[in-house]
Amino acid sequence: YRTPCIQDDPAKWTVELQATVILLSLSPYDNHQIDLAHNLLLDDKLKQLPAYKSLLKHFVTNEIAQWPLPEHEELIKNPLLKDETHWFFTMLRDRVVEHDIRVVSRYYTRITADRLAGMLQMPKS
């Protein structure tokens, strides 16, 4: 994404930046992922892709993300996420749930499975 030939062509950097945000969102949680997400949020070109900026913000804020995400309709237009049965889409759902569990763990030391399932909008079983 940061190479000059990509940066000079809006059609190319748009596709590459979208893929970067999606793949970063799918990557396992660690310090590197969060650092890269914060740095990417500072990129001015991300302002031109509000749905992707919003997706990234879900993973750096300490708030439970709703599923489906508010930007779901825009995200499924991307070839990586257009098939809801594909690995990328199911992994995105898993990463959102993992994020939500981390958020809940910041505020609760004890919580019932039923309450947690309700907060994460998941079945109780």
Side-chain angles (χ1 to χ4, degrees), residues 22-117:
I22 290 171
L23 296 174
L24 180 61
S25 299
L26 298 178
S27 65
Y29 174 82
D30 67 1
N31 293 339
H32 300 292
Q33 184 227 24
I34 295 302
D35 184 49
L36 187 54
H38 280 288
N39 288 333
L40 200 53
L41 281 168
L42 298 175
D43 192 328
D44 289 332
K45 291 183 178 179
L46 194 57
K47 292 177 185 171
Q48 297 176 35
L49 303 171
Y52 292 86
K53 183 174 184 174
S54 178
L55 173 63
L56 217 50
K57 279 188 173 185
H58 287 300
F59 291 99
V60 298
T61 58
N62 289 323
E63 296 177 2
I64 292 177
Q66 300 291 321
W67 187 264
L69 297 168
E71 55 277 350
H72 177 82
E73 293 302 318
E74 181 68 27
L75 293 175
I76 60 173
K77 294 176 185 175
N78 188 291
L80 293 174
L81 298 173
K82 69 178 180 179
D83 182 8
E84 294 188 12
T85 62
H86 193 270
W87 181 87
F88 287 114
F89 191 85
T90 57
M91 184 55 70
L92 179 61
R93 170 71 176 132
D94 291 348
R95 294 296 184 224
V96 169
V97 170
E98 289 172 4
H99 167 77
D100 291 349
I101 290 172
R102 279 191 301 278
V103 170
V104 169
S105 73
R106 289 178 183 264
Y107 299 102
Y108 290 87
T109 54
R110 295 180 63 189
I111 187 169
T112 64
D114 289 345
R115 176 73 174 131
L116 181 61

